Amino acid sequence: MVLGFFGLYSFVIIALFPGTFQQFVSPFYSPEVPLPNWMPGFVTAPMLVLWIPLGFRATCYYYRKAYYRAFFFDPPACRVDVQQKDRFWAGKNAAEGYRGERALFVWNNVHRYFLYASIIVVLFLWYEAFVTLFGPQGFQISIGSLLWFLNIVLLSAYTFSCHSFRHLIGGNKDCYSCIRGGNARRKTYNFVSRLNLKHPQWAWLSLFSLLATDIYLRLLQTGVITDLKIIG
Ligand code: FES
């Protein structure tokens, strides 16, 4: 439900409102891409990018578990429950009844491609975070810039703790001493594995930091608050 709200919020925001204030760019609007002339009027430039983070979250292994259970009750919990449920509803053995992700949700297997695209988006968001350090009067550190940095740190933790990234970085190797740079690869894999243990927490924290960052920008735009400078 929270993920659904997040998707709805982000679509309404990018469809109706501008995404910048001084040096601050909302994370929903980055990277800023040109809108081709032939696009229908209701399409805005950020929509050409937003499908990447939304698709990344929608196909995330952790979110899948959450929304399969919450919306479809399928599987409801562990395999034992699956068997009970399938016997109840389908009247047959779970091995025959449960189709896992071979039916409608087979498209979730594109997750690794969303990961590749999301890494590019994350790099742009790091750039946008550094840009917040340079206001109209030059270098500064403000509450806003700290928020932008907090957001990108959490987003990076979420992106690089991804199960697909863990597989990519070293999970697909059986023998590190047999490959070039194996030691570095093993250390990176161990680091990502530690990050991966908290993947659900990174998923939620980064979701809320995205919302908080965008809401902060809206408050600046409407003049409800001013960005408090700490240095500069
Ligand atoms: Fe959650 Fe890849 S498994 S982002």
Side-chain angles (χ1 to χ4, degrees):
M1 207 162 112
V2 178
L3 192 60
F5 169 78
F6 173 78
L8 193 65
Y9 173 89
S10 52
F11 257 110
V12 170
I13 284 293
I14 64 170
L16 301 178
F17 301 104
T20 58
F21 179 79
Q22 294 177 352
Q23 75 273 34
F24 297 102
V25 176
S26 165
F28 294 121
Y29 290 70
S30 181
E32 296 173 274
V33 292
L35 185 66
N37 293 334
W38 48 267
M39 282 281 174
F42 63 86
V43 176
T44 61
M47 286 182 190
L48 303 181
V49 175
L50 190 69
W51 59 272
I52 298 173
L54 285 184
F56 187 48
R57 287 191 188 256
T59 57
C60 165
Y61 290 87
Y62 167 69
Y63 283 119
R64 279 191 231 175
K65 183 182 89 173
Y67 68 75
Y68 284 176
R69 290 179 181 181
F71 292 124
F72 311 114
F73 198 56
D74 189 11
C78 65
R79 182 172 167 77
V80 174
D81 287 341
V82 170
Q83 288 177 331
Q84 287 170 350
K85 170 185 168 287
D86 282 348
R87 283 202 195 100
F88 178 78
W89 290 108
K92 54 188 172 184
N93 187 293
E96 299 165 28
Y98 181 63
R99 301 192 64 197
E101 296 186 333
R102 283 170 292 154
L104 175 65
F105 290 111
V106 72
W107 69 277
N108 271 332
N109 292 325
V110 298
H111 183 63
R112 80 183 70 166
Y113 302 106
F114 278 117
L115 166 71
Y116 306 149
S118 293
I119 289 174
I120 296 170
V121 174
V122 163
L123 293 177
F124 275 97
L125 290 176
W126 271 105
Y127 168 76
E128 301 292 3
F130 279 103
V131 166
T132 65
L133 298 175
F134 300 93
Q137 278 88 43
F139 180 79
Q140 63 167 56
I141 295 178
S142 65
I143 298 293
S145 48
L146 292 182
L147 187 56
W148 257 250
F149 271 100
L150 174 68
N151 176 53
I152 188 55
V153 166
L154 292 172
L155 265 180
S156 301
Y158 172 59
T159 304
F160 295 110
S161 65
C162 168
H163 298 285
S164 291
F165 185 71
R166 183 168 172 260
H167 175 78
L168 186 73
I169 210 69
N172 55 356
K173 295 289 171 216
D174 293 330
C175 172
Y176 289 113
S177 59
C178 315
I179 56 173
R180 189 186 300 179
N183 198 30
R185 192 93 179 256
R186 180 182 57 78
K187 284 182 181 164
T188 312
Y189 173 72
N190 288 343
F191 174 73
V192 170
S193 296
R194 282 200 296 279
L195 213 56
N196 178 263
L197 289 175
K198 301 256 186 246
H199 190 62
Q201 285 95 321
W202 302 129
W204 290 116
L205 288 172
S206 61
L207 192 82
F208 292 127
S209 75
L210 269 169
L211 289 173
T213 309
D214 187 77
I215 290 169
Y216 190 84
L217 183 119
R218 305 293 153 203
L219 295 175
L220 290 176
Q221 280 178 334
T222 49
V224 175
I225 58 169
T226 52
D227 190 33
L228 187 64
K229 285 186 197 167
I230 302 167
I231 297 174

